[in-house]
């Protein structure tokens, strides 16, 4: 996606509509600095704003993502290209999140081991020992909760039976039996139980 091109396109269409940056920003409930950033190609509009922005400018989301008006013939091809690129971006993002998951998970176990090692081996009072074990459990609990949250937010799980891709509930993420990023769950679509694998995009 060409941010510069998209920025210029937004600026042009905004002027055609007779809107100032401030007026456009107000319609969207954001700052005019954000609009200026889009128009200079420094950032892309948030996905959540794209539909509303396109409506205000009288263009399609597809045209917004392409940075130009699209002839009807080219429409389908360009729509597919844009979808593919959005998908790629999502996959890269999710991959980063899952790497982060692994790091946090390892840190959680290392700190649990270190704390318990200290509590068992160090020549300290029972009170101090209990405090250290309490801390160990707390740190481990926090890192584990972070991992569950990432597992929930990054990517989808795929049913091996019907290929349905979905985001399981936090309860399932927490309690379903798992091996790495594969979980034993019931498919919400075909209702069959099985080992569902993590996938990076829909
Ligand atoms: Zn299924």
């Amino acid at each position: 996606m060409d941010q510069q091109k998209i920025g210029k396109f937004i600026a042009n269409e905004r002027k055609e509509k007779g809107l100032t940056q401030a007026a456009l920003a107000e319609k969207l409930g954001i700052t005019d600095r954000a609009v200026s950033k889009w128009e200079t190609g420094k950032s892309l509009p948030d996905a959540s704003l794209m539909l509303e922005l396109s409506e205000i400018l009288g263009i399609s989301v597809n045209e917004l993502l392409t940075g130009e008006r699209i002839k009807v013939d080219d429409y389908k091809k360009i729509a597919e290209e844009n979808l593919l690129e959005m998908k790629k971006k999502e996959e890269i993002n999710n991959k980063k999140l899952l790497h982060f998951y692994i790091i946090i998970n390892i840190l959680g176990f290392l700190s649990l081991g270190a704390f318990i090692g200290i509590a068992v081996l160090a020549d300290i009072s029972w009170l101090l020992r209990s405090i250290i074990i309490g801390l160990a459990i707390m740190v481990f609990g926090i890192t584990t909760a972070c991992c569950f949250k990432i597992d929930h937010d990054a990517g989808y799980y795929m049913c091996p039976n019907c290929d349905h891709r979905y985001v399981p509930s936090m309860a399932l993420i927490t309690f379903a039996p798992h091996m790495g990023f594969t979980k034993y769950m019931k498919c919400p679509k075909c209702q069959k139980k099985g080992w569902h694998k993590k996938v990076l995009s829909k």
Side-chain angles (χ1 to χ4, degrees):
M1 250 170 263
D2 186 342
Q3 270 181 224
Q4 298 279 343
K5 189 176 168 195
I6 294 172
K8 273 187 200 145
F9 183 55
I10 294 174
N12 274 336
E13 297 301 312
R14 170 179 62 73
K15 284 172 201 157
E16 292 243 309
K17 288 269 165 209
L19 291 168
T20 61
Q21 286 189 345
L24 177 60
E26 205 193 317
K27 277 177 187 281
L28 290 165
I30 55 170
T31 63
D32 43 356
R33 253 198 78 201
V35 175
S36 157
K37 272 187 169 171
W38 303 340
E39 295 190 354
T40 49
K42 286 194 187 107
S43 70
L44 276 177
D46 226 45
S48 60
L49 286 174
M50 280 185 179
L51 191 63
E52 210 184 336
L53 175 63
S54 307
E55 272 169 12
I56 293 170
L57 297 178
I59 57 177
S60 68
V61 173
N62 215 2
E63 287 171 322
L64 178 66
L65 289 171
T66 313
E68 62 187 20
R69 293 269 177 187
I70 301 168
K71 277 184 281 164
V72 182
D73 309 347
D74 300 338
Y75 206 86
K76 206 174 158 216
K77 194 176 138 240
I78 292 176
E80 277 161 10
E81 280 170 10
N82 281 338
L83 262 177
L84 219 72
E85 199 158 337
M86 295 282 271
K87 192 173 162 176
K88 232 185 263 162
K89 271 198 177 164
E90 191 193 10
E91 284 181 1
I92 290 170
N93 247 333
N94 286 336
K95 211 179 219 172
K96 273 191 207 149
L97 275 172
L98 292 181
H99 284 159
F100 198 52
Y101 173 106
I102 293 167
I103 293 168
I104 296 178
N105 210 355
I106 291 172
L107 285 179
F109 275 108
L110 282 180
S111 69
L112 184 68
F115 273 124
I116 287 179
I118 291 167
V120 171
L121 300 174
D123 184 19
I124 48 178
S125 69
W126 275 107
L127 176 66
L128 204 52
R129 209 162 279 189
S130 321
I131 292 173
I132 290 174
I133 289 178
L135 265 175
I137 292 169
M138 204 178 76
V139 171
F140 189 68
I142 292 170
T143 55
T144 307
C146 284
C147 285
F148 286 148
K149 180 82 175 80
I150 294 174
D151 195 355
H152 180 261
D153 292 350
Y156 308 85
Y157 278 91
M158 187 172 82
C159 166
N161 185 47
C162 70
D163 283 356
H164 178 54
R165 293 171 184 221
Y166 66 101
V167 177
S169 66
M170 272 311 277
L172 270 176
I173 293 270
T174 310
F175 297 114
H178 70 277
M179 284 193 312
F181 287 118
T182 305
K183 286 185 197 297
Y184 190 76
M185 295 185 290
K186 192 165 136 189
C187 171
K189 198 174 174 197
C190 70
Q191 308 295 329
K192 279 214 171 133
K193 281 188 179 176
W195 288 95
H196 295 193
K197 228 183 191 167
K198 177 86 132 190
V199 288
L200 292 176
S201 63
K202 270 228 164 180

